[in-house]
Amino acid sequence: MKIAVLKEQVDGERRVSATPETVKKFIALGATLAVETGAGDTASIADAAYADAGASVGDRAATLAGADIVLGVQGPDPAMLDGVAPGAWIVASLNPFAERARIEAYAAAGYEALAMEFMPRITRAQSMDILSSQSNLSGYKAVLDAAAEYGRAFPMMMTAAGTISAAKAFVMGVGVAGLQAIATARRLGAQVSATDVRAATREQIQSLGAKPIFVENVAGIEGEGTGGYAGEMSPEYQAAQAELVSGHIAKQDIVITTALIPGRPAPRLISAAQVASMKPGSVIVDLAVEQGGNVEGSVAGEVVVVNGVKIVGHRNVPSRLATDASALFSRNLFNFLNAFWDKEAGRPVLDAEIGDAIRLTQGGKLVNPRLLA
């Protein structure tokens, strides 16, 4: 069983899908590891470290030759996979809804594409969940990015020259990224509040020492989608939330938005009028900017200034912490393959619950129900 680790080709992608740690673990299972030269450079992992761990390091052609499994952070270009074994597995974050043509090309080439972001949110798959591991880092980095753009201090400071008030931070969307953003902003000394459409998150917000901001008088709308994700809100709830947020957001110094709905554009949480209501010098970080943005006026890959308010729209935020993000991502991949490794077969054999959830292509065609719907 040969596993290939490729150097990422997408602009701005600094992560890598395996580390020397996971290389050693795969070899211990009986696999052969091949790593493309320079694959770990942007994550501060030298080729020599992979070689020392037992991998062969070479050019792309040598890395792919006869590979049974190809690991990636983002899905590799199907045209660049010549030489892999027939029916090879492509295991990566494949962005199936936005990259439909690429998925169809995997099918046409006979590859079995496994989308790690489709991993079901069940207990035994927690250690395989790339969305959670990478979102955790995104929430942390969002607060640091806000602090870097904010022209003032986060904590209250009492000095002989007077007192500096603590920054007021508001987190919108309390999933994995939002919870980490709350915790990080609290650690930096900000006064933190948060909101979410899921009523179940109230206690999580309070447990981190933040103030929950919730719509109280719209009954029967919990916002709980499938698999623990938020669903779409009714027009009544959206109107009530907009009114509540408008009054709160005008008083904030920092706002971080994290709301995503799988397979759909990011919900619009902050309008241009709400941005205009904020004080000059305030900062908004839109973590959903690449899916259309939670904030009106945010631009992917840019920091824009609107009426003195900075709107931060960095792309691929986990990649901005490439070394740690790679360590977590690569462990997710190893945990996944290790959980299904059949020692007699010398390869992983998937079960129906997880295999059917993440498998996009098989036998030359699309097979995932979420793509066929």
Side-chain angles (χ1 to χ4, degrees), residues 241-264:
Q241 186 186 47
E243 182 179 356
L244 175 69
V245 166
S246 292
H248 188 70
I249 204 171
K251 306 170 186 176
Q252 304 305 303
D253 302 301
I254 306 292
V255 178
I256 296 171
T257 67
T258 72
L260 290 170
I261 300 174
R264 300 187 182 184

Side-chain angles (χ1 to χ4, degrees), residues 77-130:
D77 184 346
M80 301 176 69
L81 295 175
D82 290 343
V84 301
W89 288 10
I90 312 299
V91 184
S93 174
L94 299 179
N95 196 12
F97 296 113
E99 299 287 348
R100 179 66 175 253
R102 185 173 64 192
I103 304 306
E104 291 176 345
Y106 289 149
Y111 305 138
E112 188 163 326
L114 303 176
M116 291 297 291
E117 63 267 57
F118 275 14
M119 189 66 64
R121 287 197 158 174
I122 56 178
T123 300
R124 69 188 181 99
Q126 287 180 347
S127 66
M128 315 170 193
D129 187 353
I130 63 167

